[in-house]
Structure formats: structure tokens, C-alpha cells
């Protein structure tokens, strides 16, 4: 990467169309997507924007199902934001499979401080569920724009 003038933003991105399976609880969060971002001066602002498309499949047992999936945005090892996708006590016909899909968007502005390379990562974790057979995060993207510090 070349030398960037302090006046101009820098753009970083990552995107996929392949799926990531999120294992059932109790498990650790699974990495869904990440992007490395380079800041060059103190207190530059990093604007993160992301989109995740999640598919949730019930099993054929029972006449209800439910789930809660946590999506966490972090910078390196620091959690910045948490968004939960929750549908509990959903009714379905016994013996049949139900299907849910939803889009999760996380937008955040971070000021990491010192110049350097930072990894912004989104993880997914199945927290609570009833009669769920699979959770898949399909199309997903994350981008970051680095802006100069407010008062350089």
C-alpha cells in the first residue's frame, strides 16, 4: 500500500458467497468474516459496515422452534458491538421443517488510537435454541473506510 495523504480516506473490504455453518451450543463463536485495516496516524476514525445473510432451519420434531444467535463485531480482541437475532416460541406444523432467513447489518465507527494494522472480525454463536437443525451464514461482506482524525 502506498503513502496516503492525511486528507483522503482509505477503503478496505472482504466478501463471500459461500456458507459458514455455525455449530450448535455449547460451542465457541465461529469466525464469519474479517478485514484487516491499516491506520497511519493517531486517532484516525474507522467506519465499519457489514452485512450477513443467515439461514436457520428447524428440525421436524415438535410443533415449536426458536433460536437466538449472537453476532459480535470486534477489533482484534476487543468486542465493539453485539447484535442478536432472536425468534423464540415460533409455531410450526409437527413433523415438518421450518425455515427462517434474516439479514444482519452491523455499522460502527471505531477510533483504535495508535497507527497500525487492526483486524475487524464478526463472529456468530448459537446461544439459545429449540428444535434447530442448522444455522448457516451465507452471503456476507464487511468494509472499512479510514478517515482522518477529527482534530489531527
Amino acid at each position: 500500500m502506498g503513502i496516503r495523504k492525511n486528507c483522503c480516506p482509505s477503503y478496505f473490504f472482504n466478501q463471500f458467497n459461500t456458507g459458514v455453518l455455525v455449530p450448535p451450543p455449547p460451542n465457541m463463536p465461529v469466525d464469519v468474516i474479517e478485514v484487516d485495516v491499516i491506520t497511519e496516524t493517531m486517532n484516525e476514525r474507522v467506519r465499519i459496515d457489514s452485512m450477513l445473510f443467515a439461514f436457520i432451519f428447524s428440525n421436524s420434531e415438535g410443533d415449536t422452534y426458536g433460536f437466538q444467535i449472537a453476532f459480535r463485531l470486534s477489533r482484534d480482541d476487543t468486542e465493539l458491538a453485539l447484535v442478536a437475532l432472536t425468534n423464540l416460541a415460533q409455531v410450526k406444523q409437527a413433523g415438518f421443517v421450518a425455515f427462517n432467513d434474516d439479514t444482519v447489518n452491523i455499522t460502527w465507527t471505531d477510533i483504535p488510537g495508535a497507527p497500525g494494522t487492526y483486524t475487524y472480525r464478526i463472529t456468530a454463536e448459537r446461544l439459545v435454541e429449540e428444535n434447530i437443525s442448522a444455522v448457516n451464514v451465507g452471503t456476507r461482506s464487511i468494509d472499512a473506510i479510514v478517515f482522518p482524525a477529527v482534530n489531527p
Side-chain angles (χ1 to χ4, degrees):
M1 179 175 201
I3 297 173
R4 175 170 52 91
K5 295 181 181 180
N6 286 340
C7 67
C8 307
S10 293
Y11 180 68
F12 305 86
F13 74 97
N14 196 3
Q15 58 192 15
F16 295 99
N17 280 320
T18 57
V20 172
L21 287 174
V22 181
N27 274 305
M28 298 300 294
V30 63
D31 291 351
V32 175
I33 195 164
E34 65 183 41
V35 65
D36 289 330
V37 174
I38 299 168
T39 62
E40 296 181 355
T41 61
M42 192 70 170
N43 293 327
E44 287 184 304
R45 297 167 293 152
V46 180
R47 173 70 171 187
I48 301 292
D49 191 24
S50 64
M51 184 280 302
L52 312 160
F53 192 66
F55 303 93
I56 300 95
F57 300 91
S58 78
N59 56 38
S60 59
E61 298 173 15
D63 59 359
T64 62
Y65 69 99
F67 57 87
Q68 183 175 53
I69 305 163
F71 294 91
R72 291 181 175 87
L73 169 66
S74 61
R75 174 191 6 96
D76 298 329
D77 293 327
T78 302
E79 185 175 310
L80 302 174
L82 166 67
V83 175
L85 181 58
T86 305
N87 279 313
L88 300 175
Q90 300 297 302
V91 177
K92 69 177 187 68
Q93 189 172 353
F96 289 86
V97 173
F99 168 78
N100 284 76
D101 60 12
D102 209 337
T103 302
V104 176
N105 297 294
I106 301 174
T107 301
W108 197 259
T109 299
D110 184 37
I111 302 173
T117 300
Y118 299 94
T119 300
Y120 289 88
R121 176 179 296 110
I122 297 179
T123 61
E125 181 180 11
R126 291 162 65 172
L127 299 177
V128 176
E129 62 184 53
E130 174 191 9
N131 293 328
I132 297 298
S133 62
V135 174
N136 187 348
V137 180
T139 301
R140 57 208 187 277
S141 67
I142 186 169
D143 59 65
I145 303 173
V146 178
F147 294 97
V150 175
N151 296 312

